[in-house]
Amino acid sequence: MTIRSSAHARTAAQRKQSSAGRSRGAVLIVGLVMLAVMTLLVVSMIKTSVVELKIGGASQIAQQNQTNAEVMINTFIDGNNGRFASNYLALPTASGGPVAPTGAPSSSYNTTSTVYSVAPTNTHLGQADLNVRQIQCSGQRQVGIGVGAIQFVFFDVRSTATGTLGGSATVHQGIRSVVPAGSC
């Protein structure tokens, strides 16, 4: 019986070895499948983060262009505070005409289109131009005063900013200024 039991023991040991080898192979296959799935998830997350970075960058550039256009308009309004009058856009600066924003390379008045223009001026990360047009000069009814006692002149100030990294933004600002009666 010793021969038989030793043969039986060897057969059981071989079965145990082959089943352990098979389970080790199964663990290897399951591990590789999990690694492939995790790799796909990481690649997907990287693609998503790249898209989010592009969106964030475009948003930042658009906001910078908007700010540059607003700064150009505010600089023009601050420099001309108290100077807005009927037909003042056609006057030279020394005679009470518009004052171009600081740093503007040139400015001009087009008599055909009645638009005062400032050439593109360097701003933070881009350039901005400015166009001003007188829309209307008229009296308005005021309670207790009547029509024409107070007159107003209306202007449209438009600035377009273009960034060095791309994109552009246009901002319009309306101005209403009181002018002496009979100015219109």
Side-chain angles (χ1 to χ4, degrees), residues 161-174:
T162 305
T164 54
L165 300 174
S168 68
T170 301
V171 176
H172 285 267
Q173 174 71 46

Side-chain angles (χ1 to χ4, degrees), residues 95-119:
S95 301
V99 176
T102 307
S106 66
S107 61
S108 63
Y109 179 75
N110 184 329
T111 55
T112 307
S113 62
T114 64
V115 173
Y116 173 77
S117 300
V118 175

Side-chain angles (χ1 to χ4, degrees), residues 57-70 120-129 159-170:
S59 176
Q60 182 179 3
I61 290 169
Q63 185 62 42
Q64 185 63 51
N65 290 338
Q66 177 84 15
T67 301
N68 286 341
E70 289 175 354
T121 305
N122 290 329
T123 58
H124 181 68
L125 295 175
Q127 290 189 333
D129 67 350
S159 178
T160 301
T162 305
T164 54
L165 300 174
S168 68
T170 301

Side-chain angles (χ1 to χ4, degrees), residues 44-181:
S44 173
M45 283 191 258
I46 289 173
K47 285 183 179 180
T48 301
S49 65
V50 166
V51 168
E52 288 176 0
L53 280 172
K54 286 181 181 180
I55 290 170
S59 176
Q60 182 179 3
I61 290 169
Q63 185 62 42
Q64 185 63 51
N65 290 338
Q66 177 84 15
T67 301
N68 286 341
E70 289 175 354
V71 165
M72 186 70 148
I73 288 174
N74 289 338
T75 303
F76 178 78
I77 291 172
D78 290 345
N80 290 282
N81 193 14
R83 298 173 72 97
F84 293 105
S86 180
N87 299 319
Y88 101 107
L89 293 175
L91 297 173
T93 303
S95 301
V99 176
T102 307
S106 66
S107 61
S108 63
Y109 179 75
N110 184 329
T111 55
T112 307
S113 62
T114 64
V115 173
Y116 173 77
S117 300
V118 175
T121 305
N122 290 329
T123 58
H124 181 68
L125 295 175
Q127 290 189 333
D129 67 350
L130 184 81
N131 293 303
V132 184
R133 185 171 56 99
Q134 180 176 326
I135 299 172
Q136 180 183 8
C137 185
S138 65
Q140 290 187 339
R141 182 174 300 278
Q142 299 295 317
V143 177
I145 299 175
V147 177
I150 297 177
Q151 293 186 320
F152 300 96
V153 63
F154 298 89
F155 296 94
D156 175 40
V157 183
R158 180 186 62 122
S159 178
T160 301
T162 305
T164 54
L165 300 174
S168 68
T170 301
V171 176
H172 285 267
Q173 174 71 46
I175 298 173
R176 181 182 85 166
S177 182
V178 177
V179 294

